[in-house]
Amino acid sequence: MTADSRNEILLEVESIFLSFGGVHALSDVSFDIRKGEVRSIIGPNGAGKSSMLNVINGFYHPQEGSITYQGKRRSQMKPHEAALGGIARTFQNIALFRGMSTLDNIMTGRNTKMSKGLFWQALHFGPAKREEIENREFVEHVIDFLEIQTIRKTPVGRLPYGLQKRVELGRALAAEPTLLLLDEPMAGMNLEEKEDMSRFILETNEEFGTTIALIEHDMGVVMDISDRVVVLDYGRKIAEGTPEEVRANQNVIDAYLGVSHD
Amino acid sequence: MFYRENGQFKSSYSADQAIFPIAQDRVFVIGILLVAFCVVPFVINEYWANAILIPLLVYALAGLGLNILTGYCGQVSLGTGAFMAVGAYASFKLVGFFPEVNYLILIFVSGLVTAAVGVVFGLPSLRIKGFYLAVATLAAQFFLIWLFNKVGWFYDHSPTGMITVRPIDFFGVRVTGPEATPAAKYLFTLAIIATLTLTAKNIVRGRVGRSWMAIRDMDIAAELIGIKPLQAKLSAFAVSSFYIGVAGALYFGVYLGSAEPLEAFDINQSFYVLFIIIIGGLGSILGAFLGAAFIVLLPILMKNLMVGGFGVASGTAGHVEILLLGALIIFFLIVEPHGLARLWQITKEKLRLWPFPH
Ligand SMILES: Nc1ncnc2c1ncn2[C@@H]1O[C@H](COP(=O)(O)OP(=O)(O)OP(=O)(O)O)[C@@H](O)[C@H]1O
Ligand SMILES: [Mg+2]
């Protein structure tokens, strides 16, 4: 990544307001994500982190504010538009297709790259077969990269938690995303699994230049792998900056120590 | 020959993506097809064709259709009987309009007509799920049957309200009506079902099939991956209804010969096909065949065993049969939702590792 392209802004959210009935999940949140960086979103439970990702990929529609992605400004994203625009994600509570194998889950991640219609599919011939094999090749790279060759044909419902998280990352990577949203990819993992996952995230970022927005509670990991951090608390942005800056910020320390708000 | 996957290495993705990547499976299926196409037609008689094989094949096809919708795409339907009726009445009317057109083409078009009707009645699935969708398809069931019973045009104003198949020749061979030989009826049905089974397998192992399963397993994640729920669900309704429509056309034309909507295609028919896929296995092509075989053979075996073997009154045997069916459905729903197909798969997995588990 050159210094120039690093400073280019890939995504910018401005004054986002999102509420559910009386609950203000996000109030006046603005920040940007630069091309090629690892941008972490942190904050205590219920701070609005997952809601923010849901706004970015169009699953939640904010009441106010705008989202500018790849230079195009809109008041809300649509899930399908986000997917086609190269935004992929993993979920806090694993959202794999439980009845399908690892391979099929990751192949499904290639959905936006595949287009051949029902007719050719039914014949499994010509263009459809070629398309299937080309995409399978890409998926095999993802499988090798994540070191999950041995569980290729296993239904994901039967996999242990840590591996499910890895398959979910694979499904997102299969889309060759421009922007990858990771919602607590290491939650509930042991140390070794966390190290593996950190390595995959960093390699994805470095080798493929994928921009990453990461929600994570493990401060050690956040400080290690992020370029910049934004801190949310009670739906508001309370700080942002490099890991060092954020760590030293008094608002952040108060939020994490649970200093009362009044 | 042992059932082994070990030691069979694939050197290309297309080999790994073959329908039966394991050699023993391939041999087994080819063997069954050879017997079905080359041996059975020479030994088949009226009883085997009409009481066992043709209904088995037709129900397997209907089961395949419902399994695409329910097993693969996760949308419940209780309208199978009515969709079979659409296929039956479409083929009846089409043969009347175009007697000189090849029967196979007319059956295909009947499938397309059913697909269109299926899409219309599938529209509510975009808003409602599960139990509510089942009720909506139930409405389709009652409405369509009422329509076929009420509007004289559908049954050519025949005084009995029934439709009766015309004698049809397929490339010079009679395949419908009393003059058709059991072998001709059987082969005609078998060829259609074998072809449609292959295309179903192709669809479910490709992009479209994966998008159905994704919607079934986790519709929110599917949408965020770029799968359009509208497209996925309606295409499942279309393909499923096509299969069920073709099954209906064959059920009427080749199997029954004449039909009356309130009897041949009523709600019991919908449940019957649903039981087939529950017992056979949701989301499995093989399951549709196992389920159909089970449900067609069970009454015959029960009758032979209880009436012939123990001298039980045939009425009682019928009741016991219904009880047994009910118990089995509860068993499969609770214990093994993937049905007989899954039990078969478990057996294979055991064999694959036998005698040394890894
Ligand atoms: N779909 C929804 N309906 C109603 N309230 C919601 C919904 N989604 C989020 N909220 C509320 O918005 C607030 C922020 O939730 P969010 O899930 O974004 O927090 P979070 O920062 O991801 O927390 P955690 O660390 O626990 O994952 C919470 O009060 C939550 O209850
Ligand atoms: Mg969260």
Side-chain angles (χ1 to χ4, degrees):
Chain A
M1 236 359 75
T2 64
D4 280 0
S5 65
R6 261 196 182 271
N7 290 328
E8 215 177 295
I9 288 171
L10 177 66
L11 176 112
E12 182 171 19
V13 291
E14 285 168 285
S15 321
I16 297 286
F17 286 85
L18 172 76
S19 55
F20 301 98
V23 181
H24 296 282
L26 294 168
S27 316
D28 196 19
V29 176
S30 309
F31 64 94
D32 60 25
I33 300 177
R34 292 184 198 140
K35 240 178 211 159
E37 76 173 335
V38 177
R39 176 68 132 148
S40 287
I41 304 174
I42 64 169
N45 290 111
K49 306 178 296 295
S50 298
S51 301
M52 193 64 237
L53 291 197
N54 283 330
V55 163
I56 293 176
N57 73 356
F59 187 56
Y60 287 170
H61 297 156
Q63 281 84 18
E64 278 176 55
S66 71
I67 304 151
T68 310
Y69 178 63
Q70 290 184 322
K72 192 169 169 224
R73 189 181 160 126
R74 354 163 139 67
S75 57
Q76 52 177 244
M77 284 296 245
K78 295 198 178 66
H80 189 251
E81 205 178 24
L84 281 180
I87 301 181
R89 77 172 286 180
T90 65
F91 297 81
Q92 184 167 355
N93 306 311
I94 297 172
L96 282 171
F97 307 126
R98 290 181 62 82
M100 298 161 72
S101 66
T102 297
L103 179 63
D104 278 343
N105 265 278
I106 303 181
M107 281 295 280
T108 310
R110 294 292 288 169
N111 180 66
T112 52
K113 309 280 175 195
M114 300 177 78
S115 62
K116 296 296 171 283
L118 199 56
F119 175 74
W120 289 114
Q121 300 261 318
L123 299 181
H124 193 72
F125 182 71
K129 191 169 183 189
R130 229 172 299 133
E131 181 182 72
E132 187 81 7
I133 289 172
E134 279 163 15
N135 284 286
R136 173 74 189 270
E137 259 165 33
F138 186 88
V139 164
E140 287 295 330
H141 288 309
V142 174
I143 288 177
D144 288 343
F145 174 70
L146 295 175
E147 299 157 16
I148 47 178
Q149 296 91 340
T150 52
I151 56 164
R152 202 186 265 119
K153 299 271 167 92
T154 314
V156 293
R158 288 199 231 157
L159 295 174
Y161 182 81
L163 278 179
Q164 292 198 12
K165 285 247 163 195
R166 213 186 275 194
V167 174
E168 208 189 15
L169 175 63
R171 186 178 68 186
L173 289 180
E176 297 175 72
T178 310
L179 174 61
L180 178 59
L181 312 175
L182 302 174
D183 197 344
E184 304 196 18
M186 289 165 243
M189 286 187 167
N190 63 33
L191 188 64
E192 193 190 350
E193 290 173 324
K194 278 188 185 177
E195 279 172 357
D196 282 337
M197 190 54 96
S198 308
R199 179 163 56 86
F200 295 136
I201 293 172
L202 274 180
E203 279 180 18
T204 302
N205 175 248
E206 281 161 13
E207 284 180 25
F208 310 115
T210 310
T211 308
I212 290 171
L214 171 73
I215 297 178
E216 186 47 55
H217 279 295
D218 185 321
M219 280 311 131
V221 172
V222 169
M223 298 301 154
D224 270 357
I225 70 176
S226 11
D227 294 303
R228 290 191 302 158
V229 181
V230 51
V231 191
L232 301 181
D233 188 24
Y234 287 95
R236 297 183 173 276
K237 182 172 88 173
I238 57 167
E240 76 170 313
T242 63
E244 294 73 31
E245 287 164 359
V246 163
R247 188 161 33 191
N249 187 299
Q250 192 57 44
N251 288 339
V252 178
I253 295 168
D254 290 350
Y256 272 90
L257 293 178
V259 170
S260 67
H261 292 250
D262 39 24
Chain B
M1 182 73 170
F2 288 130
Y3 184 83
R4 278 293 146 79
E5 189 178 1
N6 293 7
Q8 298 183 21
F9 298 108
K10 284 108 199 168
S11 52
S12 74
Y13 296 132
S14 69
D16 193 42
Q17 280 164 342
I19 299 186
F20 301 108
I22 301 172
Q24 285 86 340
D25 281 344
R26 217 154 37 228
V27 171
F28 183 67
V29 169
I30 290 172
I32 285 192
L33 283 175
L34 277 177
V35 171
F37 274 100
C38 305
V39 179
V40 175
F42 294 101
V43 296
I44 198 168
N45 58 26
E46 196 76 38
Y47 176 76
W48 271 89
N50 289 341
I52 300 176
L53 290 174
I54 294 177
L56 193 160
L57 288 169
V58 170
Y59 276 117
L61 185 62
L64 209 58
L66 185 62
N67 223 344
I68 285 173
L69 185 67
T70 305
Y72 284 95
C73 197
Q75 312 297 305
V76 187
S77 166
L78 290 176
T80 314
F83 292 137
M84 284 176 78
V86 174
Y89 279 80
S91 72
F92 173 73
K93 293 304 288 187
L94 283 166
V95 170
F97 288 141
F98 311 103
E100 66 292 342
V101 175
N102 189 307
Y103 189 37
L104 194 60
I105 294 176
L106 296 181
I107 288 182
F108 185 82
V109 176
S110 308
L112 292 181
V113 170
T114 317
V117 174
V119 167
V120 171
F121 285 101
L123 285 172
S125 70
L126 304 174
R127 291 266 162 214
I128 54 179
K129 290 183 195 174
F131 178 70
Y132 297 96
L133 181 60
V135 172
T137 58
L138 205 56
Q141 169 74 37
F142 286 113
F143 170 72
L144 287 168
I145 296 304
W146 172 82
L147 194 70
F148 293 136
N149 204 33
K150 206 75 190 163
V151 180
W153 180 81
F154 285 111
Y155 49 88
D156 284 0
H157 304 283
S158 84
T160 53
M162 291 177 64
I163 52 173
T164 303
V165 71
R166 297 170 177 81
I168 300 166
D169 290 345
F170 180 66
F171 291 113
V173 180
R174 183 61 50 91
V175 290
T176 64
E179 289 120 70
T181 64
K185 286 182 177 184
Y186 163 77
L187 266 181
F188 182 72
T189 313
L190 178 68
I192 291 178
I193 277 131
T195 313
L196 288 181
T197 306
L198 179 67
T199 54
K201 182 74 193 172
N202 284 342
I203 294 173
V204 298
R205 69 194 168 126
R207 175 184 64 86
V208 175
R210 284 192 298 266
S211 72
W212 292 341
M213 292 186 276
I215 289 283
R216 171 197 69 189
D217 285 350
M218 186 65 74
D219 51 357
I220 291 167
E223 203 178 341
L224 295 176
I225 276 176
I227 292 168
K228 296 182 186 131
L230 175 89
Q231 230 173 35
K233 286 181 184 172
L234 291 188
S235 67
F237 265 98
V239 175
S240 159
S241 307
F242 176 87
Y243 275 70
I244 293 171
V246 171
L250 293 171
Y251 185 71
F252 156 67
V254 179
Y255 176 56
L256 291 179
S258 63
E260 196 262 331
L262 293 181
E263 250 178 54
F265 303 108
D266 70 349
I267 180 77
N268 285 332
Q269 198 68 256
S270 302
F271 280 116
Y272 206 58
V273 181
L274 188 62
F275 294 163
I276 285 176
I277 64 169
I278 290 173
I279 291 176
L282 291 167
S284 154
I285 302 268
L286 175 68
F289 285 86
L290 294 179
F294 190 87
I295 241 171
V296 169
L297 293 178
L298 180 73
I300 296 173
L301 292 179
M302 291 288 288
K303 199 171 150 217
N304 285 347
L305 194 74
M306 295 183 63
V307 182
F310 300 109
V312 182
S314 68
T316 319
H319 293 303
V320 173
E321 179 196 319
I322 292 174
L323 269 176
L324 186 66
L325 199 62
L328 275 168
I329 285 161
I330 292 170
F331 167 80
F332 277 112
L333 277 178
I334 295 173
V335 181
E336 188 47 82
H338 297 290
L340 293 171
R342 176 80 187 122
L343 296 181
W344 169 241
Q345 197 191 343
I346 292 173
T347 317
K348 285 203 305 183
E349 276 172 23
K350 294 254 156 72
L351 275 178
R352 185 180 298 182
L353 303 178
W354 188 83
F356 307 112
H358 286 292

